[in-house]
Amino acid sequence: MISKIINYTLKVHNYFKNWRKSLIGQLLLRLWFCFILFFIIIGSIQYDALKNSLYQGVEQNLLSDYHSIRNSMYDWLGRSVLPPAKFADLRPGNFVAFYSADSKPKFIVYSYGRINQDMSTFIKQELNFNLYQKALENEPFIYTDSLNNRYMLLVQPVITTDFQNVILGYAIIGEPLYEEDLVLKNSIKTYILNALLVLLISTFLVAYALQKPLQPLLNISATARKIAGGRYDLRLPYYQKTSFEIEQLQEALNHMLSQMEAALNTERKAKENMSRFIADASHELRTPHTSIRGFLEILQRGGVEDKEILNSAHQTMLIETERLIRLTESLLTLNRLAQEEQSGEPPQQYSCSLKDVIPELLPLLNPMLGNRTLKINTYEINKEERLEAAIPDQILPLKPDELKQILFNLLNNAIQYTADNGTIEIITGTDKEKTTIAVKDNGQGIPPEDLPHIFERFFRGDRSRSRTKGQGSGLGLAIVSELVRIRGGEIKVDSALGIGSTFIISFPTVISESLPRTDLQ
Ligand code: ADP
């Protein structure tokens, strides 16, 4: 039984602990606090007003009693005319106690009518105030006697009537405050009861009225718990007719959730990209290594003796080693670009001209061109003798090495995917806003299904994959597009199978005077 009671008490205690922490609980506690403060202030003002009016009434009574007894006082105290035990002119319940000039009690006169306490006790008590002093002050005051009875008293001197004004003694006109205090006590009781009733009713009303506006908040927290459990696609429902603050909260939270989901998706994608990149890079690195190992094994098993095998092994290992070097360089370039982008430093402005770069590129391209024609704006530059005049002074916001790499990668691809008698063109164009360079070939073209992927890292078209060993690893266009993007440009491709491909790079036009040329390194 006792344990049941303890359990029950604990339950109730826990319930109130939780309730106190709830929003409604918090609001109600604050409401109670305000109500109680309000009732205390209003109550004390009312109490003071009532007390003042009651006590002022008593003071008036004392003064009027004094006036009615004033003329008889001298006779009674000075001439020893015996006073009546009860004096009709006194207010019911009041009394006048007489004292000699040296504060010795003499006699007491009561009123007629209803008396609530035994007044005779008053005169028997020793007074704890100075009669002379109080008579001098000539003001009613409140006095609590040793039996805890409260009185309002007025002390008046009894003086001779022969103009010599000798003090014969003192008269204390008094009225017990029994009735006034009772009225005050009852009014406090009623006031407190009423206040409690108002508090109780308003608690129920406010708790009921708050239920509806706070419901969206409860729903929001329920949804937030689900979201925290991993349902990042969930959004807080929209409530019509809810308060402005809750609407704002819901909007802000939904916005935050969208941002969070986007950030999580980006992170997940970045992780996926990274692991795919590592897998692709490992795969690309493994192929030449495996090939080199295979030839080394052949040579170890006696292939060194056979000159033909030895030559072919050397040839292939050389090609594979070059491929490895190219691959490593491409990876390093991509890594450098990523680091530059992540450094957070403001992008630097570079500038270089085609005139600086093309003459350096031609010696690299010429051996690969075969019978293909390489044109720059209608000039056949691989056969042109006045090369300087043929190359336009096209300025681009790139480092010379970067422009060289972009052109080399594009032209290298164009050469690879164009028949031996094909034509490859560099077409330039400048207007106020854009500077463009296009590399156009009339080669095999890119299948439409490959087009969206050609700028991805390690992407190689089917035909490219089946080409001879030592060809690109699918990083050439990825590097080109990263470089163009980082320097604020755009790259587009236009291609049709059997007709050819055009890679168009465009940058905002650089005003050549405003930028210093970046020297070739
Ligand atoms: P790769 O090193 O394999 O050439 P790239 O990134 O340079 O890698 O090119 C990716 C793919 O885009 C190539 O495998 C090829 O299928 C296609 N491609 C690029 N340039 C051309 C072009 N000029 N003509 C046809 N296909 C091209």
Side-chain angles (χ1 to χ4, degrees):
M1 178 69 186
I2 292 173
S3 73
K4 253 187 183 177
I5 293 172
I6 292 174
N7 266 349
Y8 186 74
T9 326
L10 275 177
K11 253 188 195 169
V12 173
H13 172 76
N14 277 343
Y15 176 79
F16 275 106
K17 222 166 92 183
N18 292 340
W19 178 86
R20 228 182 52 187
K21 281 188 186 163
S22 75
L23 197 56
I24 292 190
Q26 297 263 318
L27 287 172
L28 279 178
L29 281 176
R30 276 160 182 73
L31 181 86
W32 285 346
F33 176 76
C34 293
F35 259 138
I36 289 168
L37 202 70
F38 170 80
F39 281 131
I40 287 175
I41 293 170
I42 295 289
S44 33
I45 292 172
Q46 262 191 14
Y47 178 82
D48 259 14
L50 183 66
K51 194 166 113 182
N52 284 345
S53 90
L54 286 172
Y55 285 6
Q56 262 171 23
V58 178
E59 280 175 27
Q60 295 299 324
N61 290 348
L62 291 184
L63 284 173
S64 89
D65 280 356
Y66 168 61
H67 286 298
S68 42
I69 207 165
R70 191 181 180 164
N71 295 331
S72 318
M73 288 196 321
Y74 174 70
D75 289 343
W76 294 340
L77 205 61
R79 298 205 193 131
S80 301
V81 177
L82 267 185
K86 294 195 173 192
F87 194 70
D89 287 347
L90 290 180
R91 304 263 160 171
N94 290 8
F95 62 90
V96 185
F98 288 89
Y99 293 81
S100 63
D102 55 357
S103 305
K104 292 266 168 352
K106 287 279 192 182
F107 50 86
I108 186 163
V109 178
Y110 314 114
S111 65
Y112 280 94
R114 184 169 53 87
I115 291 175
N116 288 312
Q117 63 193 64
D118 181 7
M119 293 306 166
S120 64
T121 55
F122 185 86
I123 195 98
K124 289 172 198 156
Q125 289 175 27
E126 200 162 314
L127 300 172
N128 62 5
F129 55 85
N130 185 308
L131 281 169
Y132 174 73
Q133 188 65 35
K134 289 289 179 193
L136 218 61
E137 283 168 16
N138 192 20
E139 262 183 22
F141 63 96
I142 290 169
Y143 172 72
T144 310
D145 70 9
S146 56
L147 300 168
N148 250 352
N149 296 316
R150 278 157 48 81
Y151 307 91
M152 176 87 79
L153 303 179
L154 176 69
V155 181
Q156 291 292 336
V158 182
I159 43 182
T160 52
T161 49
D162 52 5
F163 303 109
Q164 286 180 356
N165 287 348
V166 178
I167 294 177
L168 295 172
Y170 300 95
I172 299 180
I173 306 113
E175 178 169 336
L177 293 174
Y178 174 79
E179 273 179 22
E180 286 73 16
D181 286 350
L182 199 68
V183 170
L184 283 174
K185 221 193 247 170
N186 284 342
S187 92
I188 291 179
K189 261 192 214 160
T190 323
Y191 182 80
I192 289 176
L193 260 173
N194 286 343
L196 284 177
L197 201 69
V198 170
L199 205 64
L200 196 73
I201 293 172
S202 53
T203 300
F204 281 117
L205 285 180
V206 170
Y208 177 74
L210 282 179
Q211 286 271 303
K212 208 166 175 207
L214 290 184
Q215 192 56 39
L217 274 186
L218 298 179
N219 294 350
I220 284 176
S221 69
T223 318
R225 265 197 295 276
K226 279 188 203 156
I227 294 168
R231 298 275 322 269
Y232 300 114
D233 57 317
L234 279 185
R235 291 292 173 271
L236 305 171
Y238 178 74
Y239 297 98
Q240 281 182 333
K241 289 188 195 165
T242 185
S243 68
F244 174 61
E245 287 85 353
I246 290 182
E247 222 173 76
Q248 270 195 334
L249 174 74
Q250 180 249 7
E251 257 176 43
L253 285 176
N254 274 347
H255 180 67
M256 188 189 80
L257 286 171
S258 306
Q259 304 268 71
M260 224 172 72
E261 197 188 3
L264 283 172
N265 282 343
T266 316
E267 199 189 311
R268 200 176 46 225
K269 247 191 210 144
K271 272 188 188 158
E272 277 170 17
N273 283 348
M274 179 56 78
S275 67
R276 205 176 56 218
F277 178 74
I278 290 171
D280 287 345
S282 316
H283 178 75
E284 287 298 327
L285 287 167
R286 197 179 56 185
T287 317
H289 278 129
T290 317
S291 166
I292 292 169
R293 192 182 61 187
F295 277 99
L296 284 173
E297 277 171 5
I298 292 172
L299 292 180
Q300 208 179 26
R301 271 191 256 118
V304 192
E305 318 296 320
D306 188 331
K307 215 163 181 232
E308 217 172 288
I309 296 176
L310 187 66
N311 274 344
S312 129
H314 275 158
Q315 191 66 23
T316 316
M317 285 197 294
L318 198 64
I319 291 170
E320 294 297 0
T321 313
E322 272 166 8
R323 186 170 159 179
L324 272 175
I325 292 169
R326 271 202 310 277
L327 184 66
T328 318
E329 272 170 3
S330 299
L331 288 172
L332 284 171
T333 307
L334 281 171
N335 185 46
R336 182 175 55 77
L337 292 177
Q339 273 182 349
E340 190 176 326
E341 200 179 18
Q342 282 163 12
S343 71
E345 284 170 22
Q348 261 185 292
Q349 282 293 345
Y350 300 103
S351 81
C352 73
S353 161
L354 276 186
K355 268 193 189 305
D356 299 332
V357 171
I358 299 235
E360 292 212 355
L361 265 181
L362 280 179
L364 294 173
L365 295 170
N366 273 336
M368 301 192 277
L369 273 172
N371 292 325
R372 299 169 188 92
T373 308
L374 177 61
K375 285 184 177 181
I376 184 157
N377 294 337
T378 69
Y379 288 100
E380 288 187 20
I381 54 167
N382 51 338
K383 292 169 194 155
E384 184 66 48
E385 277 164 16
R386 286 170 50 247
L387 191 63
E388 272 293 304
I391 308 169
D393 192 12
Q394 183 98 342
I395 308 279
L396 291 144
L398 292 159
K399 288 184 194 170
D401 271 358
E402 293 170 351
L403 180 58
K404 215 159 122 186
Q405 175 137 41
I406 290 173
L407 286 176
F408 181 80
N409 287 6
L410 293 178
L411 291 167
N412 184 26
N413 277 350
I415 293 169
Q416 279 185 52
Y417 302 109
T418 304
D420 198 31
N421 56 356
T423 305
I424 296 153
E425 288 174 78
I426 300 171
I427 304 160
T428 62
T430 312
D431 64 20
K432 258 197 248 163
E433 281 162 14
K434 269 188 182 175
T435 301
T436 53
I437 294 188
V439 174
K440 182 178 176 189
D441 64 61
N442 59 357
Q444 63 186 44
I446 305 166
E449 67 274 14
D450 285 358
L451 271 178
H453 305 291
I454 53 168
F455 295 110
E456 287 171 12
R457 292 171 183 196
F458 296 110
F459 176 82
R460 276 179 299 171
D462 276 345
R463 274 168 296 174
S464 159
R465 225 169 285 149
S466 57
R467 287 171 77 91
T468 48
K469 288 186 264 173
Q471 294 304 314
S473 51
L475 288 176
L477 286 181
I479 290 176
V480 171
S481 80
E482 280 291 275
L483 270 171
V484 171
R485 189 179 60 78
I486 281 183
R487 300 286 175 239
E490 265 183 9
I491 182 163
K492 275 193 243 161
V493 60
D494 198 0
S495 184
L497 271 182
I499 294 176
S501 314
T502 310
F503 286 86
I504 308 155
I505 292 167
S506 57
F507 285 99
T509 299
V510 178
I511 303 159
S512 56
E513 297 87 52
S514 67
L515 281 171
R517 250 345 135 68
T518 314
D519 290 332
L520 274 170
Q521 287 135 12

